[in-house]
């Protein structure tokens, strides 16, 4: 069976290191593994509009930011198809048919939708488009016959919903759609990187993100101001590494060679953690190390971004070509769906001839 990746992001802001650890880094590794027949990376602007309907300019401006972040991270248009969701009208058509296979109560139970409704104070009046975005996400995934969807843990309910739709469609109309599998980050710490303030999630509105496009100095400042164990007041005090953002980031980003390079007094992260827990290790020292680690990871990304920032028309060209290719794939899947659903009237000569014959017979009998 062909192995196909589909994943994407909403263009509502620049991408941050949480996106990177949770999904982007993996995507690039998967891309370069050569194990996949096709890789589709979607800028989900239509989904972004489901809760930004009155702010199209924000979505429009962030298309290029997300595209630059993708290219900066090492997504390669020669190997991965970069596309813009709204440019694939087939996705709307698919969503329309999937809506018949999902109940309102099932959508209401979707934990991601539930959490987002609360977050946006939508309780009293939920836009229908927002409420149904898991269905449109199922279209995103199935349109490209994705087998593998590398995403963060927060997207798990979306994948479950998609799998249910695929199962239902195939049961009702016959085997047509490909069943996708979620691919979660392999490193536990990458599952959910907290904000620099220690809040569970990085979010633009909380101002607690480290962006992939931040300068070296911005990153340094953010790391040095990071929330740590609030009870670790003096260097001698024992500290807590659990739930401590500085250590969660180290879990996500540090590699053994970083110790050799930047902090040779410790052989590895376990030793550093043990010292911090025991007491006698100051936050500043750990933060300085984290800064070196993060800069090592972010520097090449920053450099590549600068190169692409000088080639904006080319970036749009990449997105346009990618969207075209994606559309032709989606159109084939949609044709298969319509055949399965028996709404392919004009292509079905047999139907037309049979009916013609039956009417001819009837009028012959009159
Ligand atoms: N919901 C995803 C997010 O908020 C974005 C997205 C849209 C997506 N369509 C997708 C992710 C399909 C994976 C597959 O980040």
């Amino acid at each position: 069976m062909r192995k196909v990746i589909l994943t994407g992001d909403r263009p509502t802001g620049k991408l941050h290191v949480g996106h990177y650890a949770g999904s982007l880094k993996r995507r690039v590794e998967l891309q370069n593994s050569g194990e996949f027949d096709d890789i589709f990376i979607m800028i989900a602007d239509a989904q972004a509009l489901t809760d930004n309907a009155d702010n199209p300019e924000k979505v429009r401006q962030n298309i290029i930011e997300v595209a630059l972040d993708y290219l900066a991270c090492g997504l390669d248009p020669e190997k991965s198809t970069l596309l813009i969701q709204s440019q694939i009208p087939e996705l709307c058509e698919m969503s329309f048919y999937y809506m018949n296979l999902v109940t309102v109560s099932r959508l209401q139970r979707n934990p991601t939708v539930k959490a987002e409704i609360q977050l946006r104070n939508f309780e009293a009046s939920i836009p229908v488009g927002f409420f149904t975005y898991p269905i449109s996400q199922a279209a995103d995934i199935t349109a490209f016959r994705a087998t593998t969807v590398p995403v963060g843990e927060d997207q798990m309910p979306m994948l479950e919903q998609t799998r249910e739709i695929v199962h239902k469609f195939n049961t009702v109309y016959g085997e047509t759609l490909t069943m996708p599998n979620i691919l979660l980050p392999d490193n536990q710490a990458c599952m959910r990187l907290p904000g620099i303030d220690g809040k569970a999630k990085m979010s633009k509105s909380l101002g607690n993100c480290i962006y992939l496009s931040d300068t070296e100095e911005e990153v340094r400042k953010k790391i040095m101001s990071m929330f740590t164990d609030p009870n670790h007041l003096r260097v001698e005090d024992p500290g807590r590494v659990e739930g401590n953002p500085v250590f969660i980031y180290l879990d996500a980003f540090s590699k053994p060679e970083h110790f050799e390079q930047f902090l040779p007094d410790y052989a590895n992260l376990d030793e550093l953690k043990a010292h911090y827990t025991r007491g006698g290790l100051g936050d500043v020292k750990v933060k300085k190390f984290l800064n070196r680690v993060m800069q090592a990871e972010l520097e090449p990304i920053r450099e590549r971004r600068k190169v692409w920032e000088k080639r904006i028309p080319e970036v749009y060209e990449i997105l346009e070509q990618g969207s075209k290719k994606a559309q032709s794939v989606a159109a084939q899947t949609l044709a298969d769906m319509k055949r399965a659903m028996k709404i392919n009237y004009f292509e079905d000569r047999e139907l037309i001839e049979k009916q013609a014959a039956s009417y001819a017979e009837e009028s012959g009998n009159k």
Side-chain angles (χ1 to χ4, degrees):
M1 194 172 71
R2 285 172 59 78
K3 288 173 75 178
V4 179
I5 287 181
L6 177 289
T7 185
D9 301 275
R10 295 182 194 182
T12 51
K14 296 190 260 191
L15 301 181
H16 51 61
V17 295
H19 293 114
Y20 182 69
S23 163
L24 277 167
K25 191 177 174 178
R26 189 75 180 282
R27 278 180 214 174
V28 176
E29 288 165 6
L30 293 167
Q31 167 194 273
N32 296 335
S33 75
E35 275 182 42
F36 290 85
D37 298 293
D38 253 322
I39 301 176
F40 295 93
I41 311 289
M42 169 186 284
I43 303 181
D45 60 338
Q47 188 176 105
L49 285 167
T50 65
D51 65 332
N52 288 283
D54 52 359
N55 204 352
E57 198 52 35
K58 169 172 147 189
V59 174
R60 184 185 177 83
Q61 294 305 330
N62 280 306
I63 299 268
I64 192 72
E65 296 298 337
V66 171
L68 285 169
D69 285 332
Y70 283 171
L71 294 164
C73 284
L75 287 175
D76 174 355
E78 298 286 322
K79 298 179 187 159
S80 299
T81 304
L82 308 184
L83 65 123
I84 303 180
Q85 186 186 29
S86 63
Q87 305 307 299
I88 324 293
E90 284 78 2
L91 298 174
C92 299
E93 227 177 307
M94 291 180 183
S95 304
F96 190 69
Y97 298 122
Y98 292 166
M99 284 186 190
N100 301 331
L101 307 176
V102 180
T103 64
V104 171
S105 65
R106 175 62 182 89
L107 283 174
Q108 278 166 335
R109 269 185 283 120
N110 184 311
T112 306
V113 175
K114 258 185 170 167
E116 289 184 326
I117 285 172
Q118 268 189 354
L119 199 72
R120 290 169 179 70
N121 293 319
F122 273 167
E123 281 100 337
S125 57
I126 309 167
V128 174
F130 179 81
F131 184 61
T132 56
Y133 93 75
I135 298 176
S136 117
Q137 190 156 332
D140 300 341
I141 294 168
T142 52
F144 305 104
R145 304 194 175 285
T147 50
T148 311
V149 183
V151 281
E153 184 195 29
D154 62 315
Q155 295 296 305
M156 200 122 74
M158 295 298 147
L159 254 291
E160 277 163 20
Q161 187 104 54
T162 302
R163 290 174 58 90
E164 280 173 39
I165 289 172
V166 169
H167 180 75
K168 188 91 193 256
F169 191 101
N170 287 347
T171 307
V172 176
Y173 303 116
E175 264 327 294
T176 311
L177 301 175
T178 304
M179 188 62 84
N181 290 298
I182 191 167
L183 186 63
L184 292 170
D186 46 8
N187 175 341
Q188 197 59 32
C190 294
M191 289 275 194
R192 190 160 289 180
L193 220 51
I196 57 169
D197 56 358
K199 294 228 168 70
K201 235 185 140 157
M202 253 184 258
S203 101
K204 192 176 170 187
S205 51
L206 293 173
N208 61 359
C209 309
I210 299 176
Y211 293 101
L212 293 173
S213 49
D214 280 349
T215 63
E216 182 178 353
E217 185 52 20
E218 283 166 333
V219 172
R220 195 190 62 82
K221 275 195 189 141
K222 287 179 183 179
I223 291 174
M224 295 315 286
S225 73
M226 225 165 176
F227 178 86
T228 64
D229 173 3
N231 298 317
H232 185 241
L233 296 174
R234 288 163 308 179
V235 174
E236 318 81 82
D237 292 339
R240 264 181 77 87
V241 298
E242 294 80 18
N244 184 333
V246 176
F247 282 95
I248 298 176
Y249 277 56
L250 283 175
D251 274 327
F253 292 104
S254 74
K255 299 179 204 143
E257 60 263 33
H258 289 144
F259 285 87
E260 224 171 283
Q261 269 179 289
F262 307 133
L263 203 64
D265 293 352
Y266 301 85
N268 53 43
L269 188 53
D270 287 338
E271 276 189 19
L272 189 72
K273 284 182 177 173
H275 193 185
Y276 191 82
T277 311
R278 237 182 7 252
L281 175 58
D283 282 336
V284 172
K285 186 164 178 180
V286 188
K287 285 179 174 177
K288 279 189 172 160
F289 174 57
L290 175 61
N291 181 51
R292 304 290 296 268
V293 169
M294 297 289 289
Q295 300 291 359
E297 188 87 27
L298 296 177
E299 174 67 15
I301 297 177
R302 217 154 26 218
E303 289 311 307
R304 265 195 302 268
R305 201 178 204 276
K306 277 192 202 136
V307 173
W308 283 106
E309 282 171 358
K310 297 196 182 82
R311 298 160 66 180
I312 298 299
E314 208 180 315
V315 177
Y316 275 101
E317 185 64 26
I318 289 168
L319 294 173
E320 188 175 0
Q321 292 311 321
S323 301
K324 276 198 184 128
K325 174 182 169 185
Q327 187 182 3
S328 78
V329 175
Q332 285 174 26
T333 308
L334 180 62
D336 291 345
M337 285 171 57
K338 286 177 133 178
R339 204 169 303 121
M341 295 172 70
K342 301 191 177 295
I343 54 173
N344 60 334
Y345 314 109
F346 308 135
E347 143 191 305
D348 191 351
R349 293 316 301 175
E350 202 183 317
L351 167 83
I352 298 168
E353 276 154 26
K354 251 196 199 156
Q355 291 186 344
S358 111
Y359 274 97
E361 195 185 330
E362 224 175 89
S363 67
N365 293 343
K366 272 185 195 153

